[in-house]
Amino acid sequence: MKDSPLKCDFPETDLEQQLDTRRFRTYGARLASPPAKRVKGISDSSKDMDHGVAYINERFMDIRTAFSILRRYMLGIVGLFMMAVLVLMWVVDQFYSEALIATAAFFVPVWIGFYLFEVFFPLTLPVRLDRKEGVVYVAHRGTFYRIPWDELEVTFSYNWQYFGSGVMWEKQYYSHLYLKEKYYFCGTAPKKNLQRKRISSYFKEEHLYRKWNFIVRYYDEGVAKEDVKNLSGINYESYKESVNNKSVGILILDYLSVILFMPSIIWWRFAPFKYRWPKEVEAIFGKANYY
């Protein structure tokens, strides 16, 4: 298949070629910053952006990276799948005895395994954008970087994902943030002069651009009125505030829907294993850790 360039009109970059080791090959890399500018013709609204934000106020915003976004939805997807399978086996069990027990003996331990993964796998820190000082804080394998916004290097790229004969190949789009040794702030000294951190991953190119446009808009203009409503479910604290005025019946249904579809919002509030910002960053923001 021929590799086609991304649709955005940003300049091409060879940043990926400068890496010591590439974990996977990407194509059509376009440099979105510096200077950071929005993709033309794409919305910069915060609508449907709650999955990518861990916290927001006028001073700073914590931006979830690709892996954190996946984990946010994983328990809900797995839970719904497991429940659907068990219900189906219950129906089959009416005709074939012990079908439900046999299925449960396999699926229930797997289901428990996913929850144990969430218990024991530490929560990673988001990328922190500080509007007041005009810098971005990034944690990467024990190393903490402090990158001036005007020097931030972010690229858009894609690679091909194989989904089998029914779908064949499909493009997956990424945005990466590049970490240079000169931006080292604290923690473990960087082992390489240049590294990259994946901050977004989507199968629709427009979604990649929408998240970027929202980030740039936030930095330029701060929190908009619509953000308060659109981002009400970004973490457990903001979710509790958004449901305070609801009736008891609606509140119960609301909590049940969260437990079924997105239990990570609640779980992450109490998870025991979390990476935290170092004292050098806490000296600036206080003990503000969001996931």
Side-chain angles (χ1 to χ4, degrees):
M1 288 188 179
K2 184 179 179 180
D3 298 330
S4 58
L6 294 171
K7 296 176 183 177
C8 59
D9 58 357
F10 292 157
E12 294 184 8
T13 178
D14 65 346
L15 272 171
E16 183 181 80
Q17 309 304 321
Q18 300 174 32
L19 295 171
D20 295 336
T21 303
R22 286 186 287 171
R23 291 184 171 275
F24 56 89
R25 182 176 297 276
T26 57
Y27 305 94
R30 298 278 173 166
L31 189 62
S33 64
K37 59 181 181 179
R38 306 175 204 185
V39 180
K40 295 178 181 178
I42 303 295
S43 170
D44 60 9
S45 171
S46 59
K47 185 178 180 181
D48 299 325
M49 283 293 126
D50 60 340
H51 66 279
V53 181
Y55 180 79
I56 188 171
N57 63 19
E58 286 292 343
R59 168 70 190 273
F60 71 93
M61 176 168 67
D62 283 349
I63 305 162
R64 289 193 182 103
T65 57
F67 183 59
S68 295
I69 292 172
L70 173 64
R71 288 185 66 185
R72 186 175 190 256
Y73 291 108
M74 186 176 70
L75 285 182
I77 294 171
V78 170
L80 288 173
F81 173 76
M82 294 297 182
M83 286 186 284
V85 170
L86 292 176
V87 169
L88 177 62
M89 289 301 101
W90 176 79
V91 174
V92 174
D93 191 67
Q94 308 306 309
F95 304 97
Y96 301 96
S97 178
E98 298 184 357
L100 177 61
I101 295 176
T103 304
F106 173 75
F107 279 98
V108 171
V110 174
W111 195 353
I112 293 173
F114 277 100
Y115 272 85
L116 290 177
F117 173 85
E118 282 296 312
V119 171
F120 292 108
F121 199 94
L123 292 172
T124 56
L125 288 165
V127 172
R128 176 164 291 178
L129 171 56
D130 182 2
R131 293 183 66 242
K132 181 180 178 181
E133 299 297 333
V135 295
V136 178
Y137 293 90
V138 185
H140 186 67
R141 299 179 183 175
T143 304
F144 296 88
Y145 297 85
R146 188 177 189 267
I147 309 172
W149 173 259
D150 293 336
E151 300 176 25
L152 189 73
E153 292 177 300
V154 174
T155 64
F156 299 145
S157 58
Y158 69 91
N159 68 7
W160 291 102
Q161 298 289 341
Y162 183 66
F163 290 96
S165 58
V167 179
M168 297 302 291
W169 293 88
E170 182 69 24
K171 284 183 181 179
Q172 185 170 9
Y173 297 92
Y174 303 96
S175 60
H176 287 98
L177 188 157
Y178 285 78
L179 310 170
K180 293 186 175 180
E181 189 176 21
K182 66 179 180 178
Y183 300 127
Y184 168 65
F185 183 59
C186 62
T188 306
K191 297 179 180 179
K192 299 179 181 179
N193 294 329
L194 180 66
Q195 301 185 74
R196 70 176 179 182
K197 187 179 182 72
R198 189 188 310 176
I199 54 176
S200 294
S201 176
Y202 297 97
F203 284 104
K204 290 188 177 181
E205 190 175 4
E206 182 180 351
H207 292 176
L208 188 78
Y209 299 157
R210 283 193 64 236
K211 184 178 179 182
W212 172 248
N213 281 5
F214 164 62
I215 292 171
V216 177
R217 191 266 292 166
Y218 164 77
Y219 182 83
D220 291 339
E221 304 172 13
V223 180
K225 289 184 178 179
E226 67 162 12
D227 298 341
V228 177
K229 179 181 179 181
N230 291 339
L231 303 177
S232 61
I234 56 178
N235 57 45
Y236 185 56
E237 287 78 8
S238 63
Y239 169 72
K240 285 197 303 181
E241 290 180 8
S242 69
V243 298
N244 274 343
N245 299 322
K246 294 185 178 181
S247 64
V248 176
I250 298 298
L251 187 62
I252 292 173
L253 291 175
D254 211 309
Y255 266 98
L256 284 175
S257 66
V258 169
I259 291 171
L260 288 174
F261 297 105
M262 213 152 39
S264 294
I265 281 186
I266 300 174
W267 171 243
W268 285 1
R269 172 66 179 80
F270 305 102
F273 303 108
K274 306 173 183 177
Y275 289 103
R276 300 184 183 277
W277 290 107
K279 62 181 186 299
E280 291 86 350
V281 176
E282 288 186 345
I284 302 170
F285 301 96
K287 292 185 178 182
N289 293 279
Y290 302 95
Y291 303 94

